[in-house]
Amino acid sequence: MDEQGVGWIAAIIIGGIAGWLAEKFMKSDLGILMNIILGIVGAIVANAILGVFGIALGGWLGYLIAGFIGAVILIFVGRLIRR
């Protein structure tokens, strides 16, 4: 683990919070497990997208912001696919 990274337990906790915030922001009802998954996968997606623009977020706060942004994107794309 590098100095700006988070551990896997922290990733689960922060991912759950980011997914929950995105769920409330997008007014959806997905459940706690899906919130955690959305937060973690969302952080990966958002970091990849932000990396294209040369933006790197690190640490707890960066992971939370990236998780929130990515989870919102994933919820939005999920809604588009369901329609």
Side-chain angles (χ1 to χ4, degrees):
M1 181 168 84
D2 62 16
E3 61 187 63
Q4 289 193 356
V6 295
W8 62 275
I9 293 174
I12 292 171
I13 294 168
I14 297 169
I17 294 169
W20 178 78
L21 289 172
E23 177 187 61
K24 296 301 176 193
F25 181 75
M26 297 294 289
K27 294 178 177 68
S28 62
D29 186 24
L30 302 171
I32 190 163
L33 182 61
M34 195 60 160
N35 286 344
I36 294 169
I37 293 169
L38 278 174
I40 293 171
V41 174
I44 294 167
V45 169
N47 278 325
I49 293 171
L50 293 173
V52 171
F53 298 106
I55 301 170
L57 301 174
W60 288 67
L61 185 59
Y63 194 86
L64 180 64
I65 293 168
F68 173 75
I69 293 169
V72 167
I73 291 170
L74 290 175
I75 291 171
F76 179 76
V77 169
R79 286 180 180 173
L80 287 178
I81 292 172
R82 279 190 234 149
R83 289 183 186 190

